[in-house]
Every structure is written in structure tokens, then in C-alpha cells.
Amino acid sequence: MNEAEIKERVAAFLGEHDPSGDRLEFLRARFDAGLAWVWFPEGLGGLAAPRELQQVVERELADTPQINGGKQGIGLGMAAPTILAFGTGEQKRRFLRPLWTGEEIWCQLFSEPGAGSDLATLATRAVRDGDEWVVDGQKVWTSGAHHSRWAILVARTDPDVPKHRGLTYFVCDMQAPGVEVRPLRQITGEAEFNEVFLTGVRLSDDLRLGEVGDGWRVAQTTLMNERVAIGGAPTRRGGGVMATVLSAWREQPELRTHDLHQRLLSLWVEAEVTRLSGARLREQLAAGQPGPEGSGMKLSFARLNQALTGVDVELRRDLGYDDWAFRRSEDVDFYGRGPGYRYLRAKGNSIEGGTSEILRNIISERVLGLPSEPRVDKDVPWKDLPR
């Protein structure tokens, strides 16, 4: 399939479906027409077409109802590719359509109070009981859990083997008895994140993704896609936070200094390198699943976003943020709102999606091939690890 054929399909679709009508019905029809993710299989929102043709679809449908990337980000960027890679046919048919249309929002139950950077030490247990699993534990830093219908969950099913080998991956029903969501207030005053307590939560075995004990391998697919979703999104030249900084630079020449000028030039170069590296990464994605290179994109995104938002605040000489009231956030917003909000929110960029320190380890070991750090707990059963 080529660009001309994609355009023909889009034109035929628009001829049959009025974008000014019901938004949800339009999105459902777009999924059914294979114009959600064109590289997905037919019948699952795609056309089995080359991934790069997705940008053609987005251009042609730019003025039609759109999905909410801020609210649906975890489902779109993390749950969907994992379900596609490891889900059964029934799981794919059940979850992918409402995930893409936004009828069902997803969150991610990975990190724990004692298992953040070293996720494999997680302690949430899943014990089999016939055709069900009983889950007990606590998860933390869960974006959007307060409005999620489903979650991707990693739990420990075998404490007698080393930490990476005793994990299993599940889809968790966030409306099941025993699921409790509590807000975590952030530096902005919002509660975009949550802590989630799981007490005797029963999940049927048909909500398991992948084989029992193979959860770490399944989770790697999620994590690699997560880093690409956060750090590898396409941007135009001079776009994103860079655009707001350049606007402030042009509008207030009296605030310019030699030091700020040099820093801005350096950040412009880094932003261009990051943007072009992202384009290269997306070309690699067209040939298969993301690899560890996505960690480099996410690492660069975090550093660049924090530096640019800092320059933005310096140029304006005012944090410009005076609403510290506690409130529930409806979606994840890195770029909107004022400079003070962007500066404060960017502080989380080097934590979410993998801390910058851990990403540097991944890059050094799995991309550059450097010797790994000594790991004395590698072959020790999880139950024997000190806690």
C-alpha cells in the first residue's frame, strides 16, 4: 500500500462518514476502516500498511474529531503495542477498539514504593486460585488511575526464583472490588499521579498477557514503547517548548543577555539533534518494535525540556504560576498552560518513564555495549533479597 492508496481510502471514508456528526461514532468508524493505526493488522484498527503512512492519515484527517492524547497516552503508547504483541485474538478484539476511541482509559501499575528504578524487585503478589488470580500489593506514581477503566499490571507470581523470572503480566480491572485509588499531590498542586492499593483483587486468567513467569519480557515491550511515546513524539523544527522560548526572546529584547543567548543557541542545536534523532527512530520503528535506542530519546527529552522551561522562566522574570490549589488532573499536559506550570511539571520528566540514571545504564550497556554494573542479586531468589 502506498500514499495514493491511503489518500483514496481516507477520501472514501469521509464520503461515507460526516466528521461534523457524532464524535464517538466517527472515531469508531475510523477504527473499523483501518485508519486508527495503519500498521496494525486489518480488523484491529489498521491496514497492515507501512507505519510511515500514518502521517498521511493524520494530515488528511487533521480537521476531523481527534483522540485525546493527553488522557489516552498510556493506553495508546504502552498498552496497545503490548496487547498487539502478546495478547490473544480475543484480547485484541476486546480491548483495542475502545482503547483507541477513548471509551476506556488505561493506566500503568508498574512502580511501587520499594520498586521504582529497580522495577524487578516489585512485591505485589498474584496467587492463582483456580481460573482466577488474587492480587495484593501497592503501586505508585500511577498517572490517570482516577479515571481509568483498565490497567496494565506486573505482579510477582513466583517468589522462589530470581526477581526477573517470577513475574507475570496482567490486565487489571480498575473497577474490581479491592482496587483503591488515592491521589498524590504534585508540585503544581495537581493530583495527576496516584497510589493504588490492591487488596484481594480477583482477576480471571483470561486477563493475563503472555505466559506465567514471562512478565518481565512482556514488560520490556511496554517500557520501550513508553520511552518512545514520551521522548519520540514528532515535532516541527523549533516546535514544542522551544517555540514558546523563542517567542519570549523575540518579544522582550530588553531581557536578553549574552549568557542567555549562548544557552539558547546551545539548546537550539540540541533540540534539532533530538528532533532528527526522533525522525530516525520512527523510521526504525517502521521495521519493527522499538529497541533500547528509545531510552536515549527519552533521556534527551527530559534534559531538554527542563533546560528550556528554565530559560523560559528566566526570560520572563516571573514564575507566572499562582494557582497551587489541589485539583484532579484530567490529562497529562507537558506544554500547555503558562511558563510556571511548564517549569514545575518538567521536573517530573527525568523520573517518569524511567529515571534518567537508569536510562543512562541502559544506553551504556545495551546500546554502547559497555560492561554492565556488578549485580550481586542477579541469581538470588526474590524471597531471599534484603528488604
Side-chain angles (χ1 to χ4, degrees):
M1 183 169 290
N2 56 37
E3 181 173 341
E5 291 173 315
I6 286 288
K7 287 183 176 180
E8 288 178 7
R9 280 185 177 262
V10 173
F13 171 73
L14 290 175
E16 297 175 4
H17 302 280
D18 182 5
S20 63
D22 183 83
R23 175 183 178 275
L24 182 56
E25 289 303 318
F26 182 86
L27 291 176
R28 287 172 174 169
R30 178 177 166 180
F31 182 94
D32 294 340
L35 299 174
W37 302 288
V38 296
W39 68 97
F40 272 42
E42 293 188 39
L44 297 175
L47 299 169
R51 188 177 185 132
E52 61 266 23
L53 292 178
Q54 183 68 30
Q55 60 186 333
V56 179
V57 174
E58 300 303 334
R59 285 199 304 267
E60 296 296 307
L61 295 176
D63 297 325
T64 67
Q66 300 294 309
I67 56 180
N68 184 338
K71 194 171 185 177
Q72 297 173 238
I74 292 175
L76 296 169
M78 301 161 216
T82 308
I83 292 170
L84 181 66
F86 293 96
T88 64
E90 178 57 33
Q91 288 170 333
K92 294 172 188 178
R93 289 187 293 273
R94 164 63 185 86
F95 293 122
L96 289 178
R97 187 177 190 248
L99 180 158
W100 188 83
T101 61
E103 294 170 81
E104 295 178 345
I105 304 301
W106 289 65
C107 63
Q108 181 183 17
L109 299 177
F110 276 33
S111 295
E112 299 182 7
S117 295
D118 189 2
L119 177 63
T121 60
L122 64 86
T124 293
R125 290 289 307 276
V127 178
R128 190 151 196 170
D129 182 17
D131 291 333
E132 293 183 318
W133 296 84
V134 182
V135 183
D136 291 275
Q138 179 186 356
K139 298 293 183 174
V140 76
W141 311 126
T142 307
S143 299
H146 52 293
H147 52 229
S148 292
R149 176 64 181 84
W150 299 99
I152 44 179
L153 164 71
V154 182
R156 188 163 303 282
T157 50
D158 187 353
D160 297 320
V161 297
K163 59 184 181 181
H164 292 89
R165 301 212 304 263
L167 303 173
T168 302
Y169 197 113
F170 298 93
V171 171
C172 179
D173 182 354
M174 292 297 289
Q175 296 179 358
V179 176
E180 179 186 1
V181 178
R182 300 180 189 174
L184 285 174
R185 189 174 183 179
Q186 296 154 236
I187 193 173
T188 60
E190 293 187 340
E192 170 194 316
F193 297 124
N194 303 271
E195 52 183 349
V196 179
F197 294 84
L198 306 164
T199 307
V201 178
R202 288 188 168 269
L203 303 176
S204 60
D205 189 54
D206 61 9
L207 291 176
R208 172 171 48 84
L209 279 182
E211 299 299 322
V212 175
D214 200 28
W216 185 252
R217 184 168 71 96
V218 182
Q220 288 307 298
T221 295
T222 303
L223 293 172
M224 288 188 291
N225 278 284
E226 177 183 26
R227 289 154 193 167
V228 172
I230 294 176
T235 57
R236 62 179 176 83
R237 189 169 184 257
V241 178
M242 177 61 76
T244 64
V245 176
L246 292 176
S247 176
W249 177 264
R250 295 183 183 114
E251 293 169 2
Q252 302 180 80
E254 71 279 4
L255 299 182
R256 301 174 188 173
T257 66
H258 176 73
D259 175 63
L260 281 174
H261 189 207
Q262 293 303 307
R263 286 166 60 193
L264 185 56
L265 288 173
S266 176
L267 290 170
W268 171 270
V269 171
E270 185 172 345
E272 274 298 282
V273 170
T274 300
R275 184 180 69 85
L276 295 172
S277 297
R280 180 170 179 259
L281 178 62
R282 287 188 294 278
E283 289 180 356
Q284 292 175 324
L285 283 177
Q289 288 291 327
E293 295 83 3
S295 298
M297 289 300 305
K298 196 275 172 179
L299 177 65
S300 180
F301 162 80
R303 181 194 175 283
L304 187 61
N305 207 33
Q306 290 174 350
L308 282 170
T309 55
V311 171
D312 193 23
V313 168
E314 285 189 58
L315 277 171
R316 300 172 192 274
R317 304 292 175 90
D318 183 5
L319 187 61
Y321 191 76
D322 56 4
D323 184 8
W324 308 96
F326 172 79
R327 61 190 180 279
R328 276 302 209 177
S329 174
E330 284 303 308
D331 58 20
V332 178
D333 188 355
F334 289 157
Y335 303 115
R337 311 186 198 180
Y341 171 85
R342 289 191 292 268
Y343 174 76
L344 295 171
R345 181 59 184 82
K347 299 304 178 186
N349 294 162
S350 52
I351 302 172
E352 56 200 343
T355 65
S356 293
E357 292 78 8
I358 292 300
L359 295 183
R360 289 188 180 96
N361 280 352
I362 293 172
I363 293 166
S364 66
E365 295 174 14
R366 299 181 59 193
V367 179
L368 301 178
L370 299 177
S372 61
E373 292 183 337
R375 294 181 173 89
V376 296
D377 62 351
K378 186 175 181 181
D379 298 315
V380 178
W382 177 84
K383 64 182 178 59
D384 296 330
L385 295 177
R387 279 182 291 280

